[in-house]
C-alpha cells in the first residue's frame, strides 16, 4: 500500500449483504471495509451482533467467493472485526468469545487479510489490577494463535463505558497509553497492537498525536470516528460522570483531523482508515446511515485520497 | 428530505433568468435555490430588487412553467425570498411591502414550496420597545395568511446595520435570541420561524450552536454566509462602531462550519442550506460571482453532500 | 459580616492546640479558622483524625473557654469540621459517624457558630443510584437535627477518589451540580448546603463560576484550595485514571482566583473562606506547613482583605 | 512624580467630607484622590452630583484650606472631576455645564493641580457626524481656557451607554481611538487629553495596550476600573444589546492588569491611577464601599506601589 | 485570470519530462505548474538542480514546442523557477548564478509567462547589514533586465536556514517584512516582488495575513506549503535552535489555510498558487510524491477551485 | 532554608556601597542579595562592571567585615556574581576571566556562601560545535576548583544575544535544555548547575516548567526577571530577528509566575530567588531603580513570602 486507504466499518449497515456493501463502497469511492464477523445470532448491544461474514465454517470455497467479490468491486477487506468482552466475569462466555476470536483469526489468515480487530475486554466490576492475570491467561494463547497464522490483532482503544451497566470500569481495559504499555510489556509480540480510534482519546484528554508517535509500531488498523463534548452536560456531571460526550461523524466533533492525519503520515502509517458511524443524528434510516458514510468520505478525502 | 440540501440565494446573479440559474445550479451540483421575488423595479440597496420570479400575477400557468424548469434541471426551489423593511416609518411603504409579502406567500403555496423568507423590518430610528406594537399589527395578519396557505415564514436574523443611514437600530428587529423569544411569545404560530444565518451571529458574539439548540423548532431555512472581523478596524472603532467586520464566503471567515453543521445534524434539521454571496472580493464580474458559488460549494460539501 | 473573611482549616496543624492555632492565626492576619472535631483517636487517612476541639463532652464550661480564646486572639471559628464517610458499607461504623456528626452540630450550636462542615459519604463500591436510599435515611434526621439547633451543614464537594482503595465511586457522593440538585430535591431544608471548594471542580471540568451562581443559596462555607493537572500524567492515564492532578496552594494551580472571588462577590457571599493546605511540597515539617498558610494568605489577600 | 500613584475617585463616598476622605485615603495607603466638584444640588444619575469641593466661590482662602488638608494627611489631589453632558440637546443646560467646567478648571489652576477630568458629552440621539460641529463650538473655548490656566483636561473614554434612556449614542462621544484621533485633529492642544479607563475598552474589544501606545502623549489621568462580560447575557443580546457586561473592582473582571500596568511603564506614564468603584456587589453600605477601596488597593499594589 | 489557479512546483518530480509533468498535472486537475529551470548538472542540495526546461539555448523553436505542450494539456506555466544563492561569497559563482537568472528571465519573456521565481541569496556568514551593498550591486541590474523584458521577479521568502552549514544567516536575505521593506526601498521597481510562501512565516511567528495586506502590490507568485512545529524539539532547542519545525503538505501543518486564502481574496490576488512538496513522509517513491500532489490538491480545492 | 527567599541582584544599584545595599534590602523586606564582584574597572556593557565586593584581595578580615554587615541588616548573600565571557576569542582575555572567576569562587567559599553565578560564555562567531572543546578546557578546571572549595557554580541561561555585535551566536552557550544536557554530560559534577532565569526561556518558547522538572537537581540559584514580546516587532522581524522582546519587571511580561513558583515548590527548591532589574522603564534614576525593586517585591511576595 503506498498510502492510507479510506474505508468503513460494516456494522452500520446490518441490512445489507457483503456483496451489497462492497457494491455501495465501490460506488461511493471507498477502497476498503472492515467486515463484521459476529457469530450468527442476536446482538447484545447497539452496533454489535452483525455478521457480514460467517467464519464458523470457513474453508477455501468461502474464501474464493469473498475474493471474487472484492475483486469484482475492487474494494479490499481491511480487517475482520468482532468486538465481544473476552474478559467478562462468566468463564463459559469468555471461552465462547475466545473460541470465536480464534475462528476470525483463521478466516483472516485464509483470506490473506492479515488483520483481526477486537477488544481485550474487562470484568467491568473489577479494577485494572484485578483484571490483569485474567488478561494474561486469555490473551497469551490468542496472540500466539495470531502469530502462527501471521495475523496482527488490533485492539480498539474504546473504554466501553457509556451507560450505567458498564460502570465503573467499562468493558475493555485498553483505554490509555499507560495500559497499552502494560499490555505490550506483558505480551510483547509484534502481532499484538492497536485499532487506533482518536474519538475515545479526545474526551479522555489523551493527546492522540503523541500517542501515535509513542505507539507507531503498534498501529494495526485505524478507525475514523469523532466525538464531541456537550458543554452543558459536562458542567452538570463533570468528567467523573457519564454521557457528557457523544459520538459524531468525522469533522463534526473535537478531533483535529488535520493534525491526526499529519501524525499518521509522520509515522509512515500506510494502512486502512475506516469510518465508524455511531452518530445518532444519522441513524433514522438506512438512507441516513448511507448518507453518513458519504458525508464522512467527503470530509476525510481532504486528508486521505 | 433525508438530509440537508445545498443551494444558493439567487440575488447574486441578477443578470440571469430563472432558467439560466437553474441550469447553472444543476451544472455545479447544487440541489436547490432560494429564488428572489422582489417586485419588478429598481433596487433600493445592494443585493435587493432582484426578480427571478414575478409573483404579482402568478397563477396555475406560471406554476406549471416553474415546475417544468425545476424538473428539467432537477433543482428544487428552497424558498421564495423578498427582503424589504415591513416596519419602515412610512405607512404607505409598509402597506406596499406587506401586500407583496402576501403575494410571495401565495406563490410559495401555489408552487408547493411551503417556505417564504424575509425580514421583520424595523423603524431604525426607534428603540425595540417602540417598534413592538407596530411589529404586532403588521405581522399577526401576515402569519395568519401564511398559516392559511401552509407556508412557513423564515425571518432572517440580519441586523441590517452596516452603514450610517441604517444607524442606530438597523432595519430588522430579529437579531438576537432575546428578541426571537419575544417575537415567538407575541406570535406563537409554528408557521413563524427563522431563516438562520450564522454570519450575523458570529460578530455579535452570539453562540450560534447554542442558538440552534434553543430554537430548533423554529429553523425554517438556513443561509450559509461567513463574516470576518478585521482586527485593525475593531481596534479603531470597537463594537459600538460600524464596518469592522465584512461578509465573506463560507470558510473565509470566523464561523466554525464543522460545529455549525454538527449542531444542525444534532437538531435533526433536514432542509435547505443556501449559500448567500456578499463577499466583495468576488463581485468584480458575473464570472467572479459564479466562481464564488463554485468555491462555496467546494468548501461546504465537506459538511453536507 | 460585611465581607468575606480569610481563615484556614486546622487539620494541617495537628501538633498545635486550639490556643496555639488561634495565636498563630492572629499573628498571621487570619480572621477565622475551621476547627477540626474528630473523635479523639487514630487518623484513618491523611488529613483526618485531628481533634482541636473535643465535642464528646461539651457543655457551657467548654463553650466559655472557647469563647475566651477566640476573644483573646480576635479570631473567629468559621465552622466545626468533621469529615468521615457516613454512608460507608458497615452499618455500625455509619451509626458511629452519624452520632458524632450530631455532637458536632450541637457543639456548633452551643458555641453560636451556626455551621458544621463534612461529607455526605458514599458506599464507594456502589453506584450513585444504589446509594440514594441510604443517603436519604442517614441524612434526613441529621438535617432535621441541624434545623433544630439552627446550624447549617456545609457538605464539601470532594470526590474522595484519589487512590485505588477509594475506586471506583469515591467516598463522597456530593461531587457535581447534577448530584447537588438531587440532594437538595431530596432534602430541601435551607440548613443543608455546600462547603464549596473549587479545587475539586477544576479538574472535573465543572465551571465553578456558573456553579456559584446556580447554588448561590446553598453556599454555607468556602474552602480555598487549588489543584493542578500534570500534563504528562493526564496523557498517560486520561480522565478515567487516577492521580493525574495534585492539590496545590491557592495561586499554584489551575483555579482562576480572580474569577472565583468575583463570582463570590456577585452572589453576595459574605462568609468564611478557609485555606485548606494539602500541597505535599509544604508538608516536610510544621514550619513548612505554617509557611504554606502564610504564603496562601499573601496570595489570597489580593482578592479578600 | 517618580512613578505612578494609587488613588481613588471620591464619588463613591458622598457621605464623607473632603477631610474625612483624605483621612480615610491616608489610613488605607492611597497617595491621591480625584475630587468630585459637581455644583451643589441633586444628582441626575448614579455616581453623579457629588460635591467634595465647591468651586463656585473658590478663592485664595479656600485654596489654603485645601492645601492644609492635603498636607496634613499627605494625600494629593490628582484632579478635579466633574462629569456632565456638555453636548446635550438643551442649549441652556449645555451653557450651564460649560460654565461650571470653566470654574473647575480655574479651581484646579488655583490649587496647582493642573488636571481637570470630565466627559466631552454627546447629543445621544444624533450620530457622531451630527455632533461634531457642536463638539467644536463647545470645546474649543474650554480648551483655550485650560491652556490659559495651564490645566490639562482629561476626557474619560466612557460610552455612557448603559440604559435605554442613553440609547442609541450614549452621552459621551470619546469612546474609541478613531474618535480620539478626530478629537485631537480638531483640537490639537496638548492641554486636551484622556482620562484613560480600560474598563470601557475591554468590552468594546479595543486593545487598551495598543491604545496606550498610540495615545501616550494624551494620557492626562488614569482610572482603574474593571468590567466583566456575563456570558449568558451576551448570548441573549449580542454586542448590539445593552447590559451584558458589568463594572467590577480591579482584578474581578476581564482587564489584564499586568499587561495594562506594563504598558503604562513602557510609555513612561508617571501620574495618578485612581480606583473608580462602580461594583454593585460592594454598594450595600458605606462600609461595603470602603471595603471595595481597600480591596482594590490590595489588588493593585502588586502592580503599583 | 478571473481567480486563483492551483498548480505545483515541478522540482518534486525530477524523473519526469516536462511533457509527462503536464500530462500528470492535467489528469489530476491542476491548472498550472512552476517549471524548474536549473542549468543542466548536479544538484547542490535537496530539491535543487532540476531542469524541466533548459533555458541555456532557448529560441522561438523551443518556445513553440512548449506552447504546443501547454495547449495540448491545457496546463499553464505559472513561472520559471531557479533558486540558487546569488549573493554567495564566491564572486565567480555569483556571476554564474546571475547570468543564468538572466537567461531564465529571457525565456520567461519569450514564453509570455511574465514571471521568474528565485531567491535573493545571502552570504550566510555575514550580517544583513554587511550583505546589503552586495544585494544592491547584484540585483539592480537583474531587476532592470526583468523590467526590459516585462517579467516580474518573485523572491521566495525562505530563510534557507535548516542545517548547520547554512548557519547562522541562511542563504536568502528575504525573510521578513522589515527586510522586504528595505529591499523594495532599495529597488522600488514594480517588477521586483515576492513568491509568497506562508510556511516560512508561520514558524518565524510572522502574521502572514497581515503580511499579505502590507505587501499586496508585491505578490508575484504564491507557494502553498505547510510547516509544523514539533513541540518536543522546540522545548529542547528553543527558537534559536535548528530543526524544530518540519515542512508538511498543506493541511498537515500550522498554517490556517482558510484565513490565508481569505486574505488572498481580500487583496484581489488572481494568480497562481503552486503546491511545493517537501514533506519527507511522502518522498519514499515517485508514487508517494505524486500522491502528495493529489492529496494537496484535494485539500486545497476547498479554498480554490 | 525552609523555603525560598526573595532577594535581588545588586548590579542595578552601582552607586551604592554594599552596606547601603544591605540597608535598602532590609528596609524593603528582601532576605538576600546576589552581590556583584566584577574586577574594579570600567564596565564593558550595560549591567556589567559593578563591584560591590572586591574579591581580588579577600582574606579573613574582609570576610569578617562582610559577615558583620549581613548580620547587622539580617540580609544574606545568596551568591557572588560575575558575568564575563570566559570563552571569548582572545586567549588573554579568557585567562583573565577564568582567573577572576577562581577568585570569586574562593571568596564565596571564605564567606560560607557556597554559590557563584556566571556565564559559560561563547565565541559568538562560532557554532556550538566549534565552541565545545574550548568549553571543556576552560570549565573543567574551574568546576574542579569549585568542588575543592565546595561552591556550586550556577550558570545563567541567558543567550546574551540582544544586539548586532553579539550576533549570531550570543556570548553564552548555555541557552537550552539540549545544551544543558550536553554541558552536564561533559562535566557531570554536582557543583556545576544553573542560575535559572525564566525570562530567557519564555521568548525562546522553551517550557520553563518542564525545564525545572528536568533539571531539578541542577538549580543552584534563581533569577526573577520577566520578558515580553512586542507583537508589532515580532511581525516585522520574526524569531530570526533581534530586539522583538524586552526585559520587564516580574508581572509585567509573559512569564506565568504562578506556574513558575508552583513548579519550584514541586521540585522542592528551597533557595534564593533574586529579582534582576533590566526594565528600561525604571532606569531613569536611582529612585526609579529602587522603585523597580520595591514593585517587584510587592508583586512576587504573593508567591514567595
Amino acid at each position: 500500500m503506498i498510502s492510507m486507504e479510506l474505508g468503513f466499518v460494516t456494522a452500520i449497515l446490518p441490512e445489507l449483504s457483503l456483496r451489497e456493501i462492497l457494491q455501495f463502497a465501490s460506488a461511493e469511492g471507498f477502497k476498503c471495509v472492515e467486515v463484521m464477523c459476529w457469530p450468527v445470532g442476536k446482538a447484545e448491544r447497539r452496533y454489535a451482533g452483525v455478521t457480514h461474514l460467517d467464519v464458523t465454517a470457513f474453508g477455501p470455497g468461502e474464501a474464493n467467493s469473498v475474493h471474487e467479490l472484492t475483486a469484482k468491486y475492487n474494494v479490499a477487506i481491511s480487517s475482520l472485526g468482532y468486538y465481544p468482552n473476552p474478559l467478562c466475569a462468566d468463564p463459559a462466555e469468555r471461552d465462547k468469545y475466545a473460541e470465536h476470536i480464534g475462528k476470525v483469526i483463521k478466516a483472516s489468515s485464509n483470506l490473506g487479510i492479515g488483520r483481526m480487530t477486537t477488544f481485550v475486554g474487562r470484568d467491568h466490576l473489577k479494577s485494572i489490577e484485578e483484571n490483569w492475570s485474567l488478561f494474561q491467561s486469555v490473551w497469551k494463547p490468542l496472540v500466539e494463535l495470531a502469530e502462527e497464522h501471521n495475523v496482527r490483532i488490533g485492539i480498539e482503544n474504546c473504554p466501553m463505558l457509556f451507560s450505567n451497566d458498564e460502570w465503573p470500569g467499562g468493558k475493555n481495559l485498553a483505554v490509555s497509553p499507560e495500559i497499552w504499555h502494560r499490555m505490550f510489556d506483558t505480551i510483547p509480540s509484534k502481532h499484538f497492537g492497536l485499532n487506533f480510534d482518536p474519538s475515545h482519546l479526545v474526551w479522555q484528554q489523551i493527546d492522540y498525536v503523541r500517542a501515535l508517535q509513542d505507539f507507531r509500531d503498534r498501529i494495526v488498523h485505524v478507525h475514523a470516528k469523532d466525538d464531541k463534548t456537550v458543554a452543558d452536560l459536562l458542567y452538570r456531571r463533570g468528567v467523573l460522570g457519564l454521557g457528557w460526550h457523544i459520538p459524531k461523524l468525522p469533522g463534526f466533533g473535537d478531533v483535529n483531523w488535520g493534525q491526526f492525519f499529519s501524525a499518521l503520515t509522520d509515522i509512515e502509517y500506510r494502512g486502512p482508515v475506516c469510518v465508524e458511524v455511531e452518530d445518532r443524528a444519522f441513524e433514522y434510516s438506512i438512507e441516513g446511515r448511507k448518507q453518513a458514510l458519504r458525508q464522512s468520505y467527503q470530509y476525510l478525502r481532504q486528508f486521505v485520497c
Side-chain angles (χ1 to χ4, degrees), chain A:
Chain A
M1 213 179 285
I2 66 148
S3 63
M4 288 177 269
E5 292 195 338
L6 207 50
F8 64 82
V9 182
T10 68
I12 200 63
L13 296 174
E15 304 91 329
L16 302 193
S17 67
L18 182 57
R19 173 186 298 275
E20 289 165 325
I21 279 174
L22 294 171
Q23 193 172 19
F24 173 77
S26 174
E28 299 296 338
F30 289 102
K31 294 186 181 153
C32 59
V33 287
E34 179 188 353
V35 174
M36 286 304 102
C37 301
W38 290 75
V40 177
K42 205 162 87 14
E44 63 197 20
R45 63 166 200 275
R46 205 173 178 97
Y47 311 118
V50 176
T51 318
H52 282 122
L53 199 70
D54 183 354
V55 296
T56 48
F58 197 81
E62 285 76 8
N64 279 345
S65 305
V66 170
H67 281 145
E68 274 169 31
L69 283 176
T70 55
K72 176 172 180 188
Y73 294 109
N74 196 23
V75 172
I77 295 178
S78 67
S79 177
L80 298 185
Y82 167 51
Y83 295 86
N85 180 355
L87 302 186
C88 70
D90 177 352
E93 235 182 300
R94 283 206 302 265
D95 289 353
K96 205 178 61 184
Y97 295 154
E99 191 188 357
H100 193 71
I101 288 174
K103 287 180 187 159
V104 181
I105 288 170
K106 286 173 196 159
S108 176
S109 180
N110 285 343
L111 283 163
I113 294 167
R115 291 191 199 84
M116 189 271 154
T117 34
T118 188
F119 293 143
V120 287
R122 173 169 180 169
D123 182 344
H124 69 290
L125 297 172
K126 293 191 181 151
S127 73
I128 296 165
E129 196 51 48
E130 291 165 332
N131 270 275
W132 213 254
S133 69
L134 188 58
F135 161 73
Q136 205 160 342
S137 63
V138 169
W139 280 98
K140 279 214 164 152
L142 284 171
V143 175
E144 277 162 22
L145 185 75
E147 278 189 336
E148 284 161 25
H149 290 81
N150 201 20
V151 169
R152 295 179 77 202
I153 296 173
I155 301 298
E156 190 177 351
N157 57 307
C158 176
M160 290 305 290
L161 175 52
F162 300 102
S163 58
N164 278 318
D165 59 310
E166 293 167 337
W167 186 86
K171 295 191 169 168
N172 185 31
L173 284 168
V175 305
S176 68
E178 194 168 81
I179 300 173
W180 304 337
H181 277 303
R182 190 169 178 188
M183 280 166 50
F184 300 131
D185 285 349
T186 302
I187 306 178
S189 166
K190 289 299 176 197
H191 287 74
F192 195 41
L194 296 169
N195 183 6
F196 195 96
D197 186 335
S199 73
H200 307 304
L201 298 172
V202 74
W203 64 266
Q204 284 189 83
Q205 294 191 58
I206 293 171
D207 179 346
Y208 39 88
V209 167
R210 178 173 165 195
L212 281 177
Q213 289 286 356
D214 287 356
F215 293 89
R216 57 190 303 162
D217 297 331
R218 297 288 181 178
I219 310 302
V220 171
H221 196 268
V222 171
H223 272 183
K225 193 170 60 181
D226 215 330
D227 187 277
K228 86 172 163 188
T229 290
V230 182
D232 191 61
L233 292 175
L234 182 56
Y235 165 69
R236 290 183 200 284
R237 299 174 189 169
V239 299
L240 296 177
L242 293 176
W244 46 270
H245 57 96
I246 54 173
K248 293 295 293 175
L249 300 192
F252 287 167
D254 300 333
V255 172
N256 184 323
W257 292 96
Q259 286 181 4
F260 181 68
F261 277 99
S262 182
L264 282 171
T265 65
D266 286 344
I267 65 168
E268 295 176 20
Y269 176 74
R270 284 177 207 132
V273 177
C274 286
V275 174
E276 186 182 25
V277 174
E278 297 185 357
D279 185 336
R280 301 209 176 185
F282 288 84
E283 295 183 7
Y284 47 89
S285 75
I286 184 168
E287 274 317 303
R289 285 174 276 126
K290 283 181 171 176
Q291 182 67 8
L293 288 167
R294 252 178 234 118
Q295 170 58 61
S296 301
Y297 178 83
Q298 279 300 333
Y299 181 78
L300 290 174
R301 68 199 296 248
Q302 67 179 308
F303 301 117
V304 52
C305 69

